[in-house]
Amino acid sequence: MPLRLRYPAALLALPLAVSAQTVQPGVRTDTIECARRATTYQLFIPDSGRALPAILLLHGAGGEPNDVMQPWLKLARKKGIVLAAPVLPLERSYEAVAPKVFRCVMEDVRRRTAVDSTRIYLFGYSMGGYLALGAGLIESEYFAGIMVYANGLHEDFYPLVDKAVRRLPVALYGGLQDQVYPIQGERRTHDYLMNHGFTIRYRELDAQDHSYWPSADWINSDAWGWISTRRPEP
């Protein structure tokens, strides 16, 4: 079924403070054709001789891959995690193909480096969180877990919850001062998924608004520390 974006207009004009920062050493850019469209993505591969876990990072509306790539680099270098962050066009038509594109990007990553195919995760901020939840439900046999900050499960996705082949673990975070996506959205998502048998890590951040970066180090460390020890349930 098509995925429908439903965001407040304020989100589309939200300033993204780290967009102007330079791409960090060790991060490369690749392009692949997925679902009949060219998709450019940033890629970070740690030095390792073994198959590593990987995270597909999804940025917010109007943002760019570096917005989510940069905050994850420190942890990825320390823990040995492959990171891939595609450009997400702000187009309604993208919603229907997004899960296929995400899987296509990760398959391209797997051609470039050794990835543990049982440990491919999603992380999304804002619009990226919305898309991460949709892709995790539709491609639940491919991905191993979902991490989200500042978004939740829209009611359009409710039918997908029961259709998901596996119940992926979900780490969900929201700011109590978020005026763009109020905390009630995360609370509804938590309750709905819990009532449908999903394992959830849920945290509300007291002084946090919609911006991800002020608490990114803590969110990433907490989410990864929890989700990396969980496995999907049938």
Side-chain angles (χ1 to χ4, degrees):
M1 62 182 296
L3 312 182
R4 299 175 182 174
L5 290 172
R6 294 178 183 267
Y7 294 109
L11 184 147
L12 303 181
L14 190 69
L16 299 176
V18 301
S19 293
Q21 296 184 5
T22 58
V23 176
Q24 296 296 304
V27 178
R28 58 184 287 182
T29 299
D30 291 294
T31 300
I32 183 175
E33 183 172 340
C34 297
R36 298 182 179 180
R37 63 167 65 217
T39 295
T40 299
Y41 68 94
Q42 287 186 0
L43 175 63
F44 170 72
I45 303 174
D47 292 330
S48 177
R50 58 189 176 87
L52 297 175
I55 305 174
L56 183 70
L57 306 174
L58 305 176
H59 63 75
E64 60 181 40
N66 200 44
D67 299 341
V68 281
M69 174 64 74
Q70 181 172 327
W72 274 93
L73 282 174
K74 181 179 179 181
L75 187 64
R77 290 189 175 106
K78 180 180 179 180
K79 298 293 186 179
I81 309 168
V82 175
L83 303 176
V87 175
L88 304 178
L90 197 56
E91 303 169 4
R92 191 171 296 276
S93 61
Y94 187 71
E95 304 167 72
V97 300
K100 293 181 180 179
V101 171
F102 299 161
R103 181 166 179 163
C104 173
V105 168
M106 294 313 301
E107 285 301 294
D108 192 52
V109 172
R110 292 181 64 195
R111 286 189 284 270
R112 300 175 187 276
T113 190
V115 171
D116 183 345
S117 62
T118 68
R119 302 184 70 198
I120 301 175
Y121 302 87
L122 292 151
F123 171 83
Y125 159 56
S126 192
M127 179 188 76
Y130 170 90
L131 294 173
L133 285 163
L137 292 171
I138 292 171
E139 295 285 355
S140 65
E141 291 182 286
Y142 186 82
F143 293 104
I146 308 166
M147 299 168 279
V148 172
Y149 178 70
N151 218 295
L153 190 70
H154 191 273
E155 61 184 17
D156 286 352
F157 285 165
Y158 286 178
L160 299 179
V161 172
D162 288 327
K163 293 180 180 179
V165 177
R166 301 193 300 177
R167 294 187 293 276
L168 302 186
V170 178
L172 182 62
Y173 302 83
L176 289 176
Q177 306 306 316
D178 192 338
Q179 299 300 309
V180 178
Y181 189 83
I183 195 65
Q184 287 79 10
E186 283 95 345
R187 291 172 179 170
R188 286 192 298 270
T189 298
H190 167 269
D191 292 347
Y192 193 86
L193 292 178
M194 285 287 291
N195 289 337
H196 286 76
F198 283 71
T199 302
I200 310 292
R201 169 79 165 175
Y202 180 65
R203 294 292 182 269
E204 297 181 357
L205 284 67
D206 289 341
Q208 190 77 8
D209 59 14
H210 193 73
S211 181
Y212 157 59
W213 305 282
S215 297
D217 286 347
W218 183 86
I219 292 169
N220 298 348
S221 179
D222 186 80
W224 181 250
W226 180 81
I227 211 164
S228 63
T229 65
R230 299 299 189 279
R231 294 292 182 268
E233 299 179 4

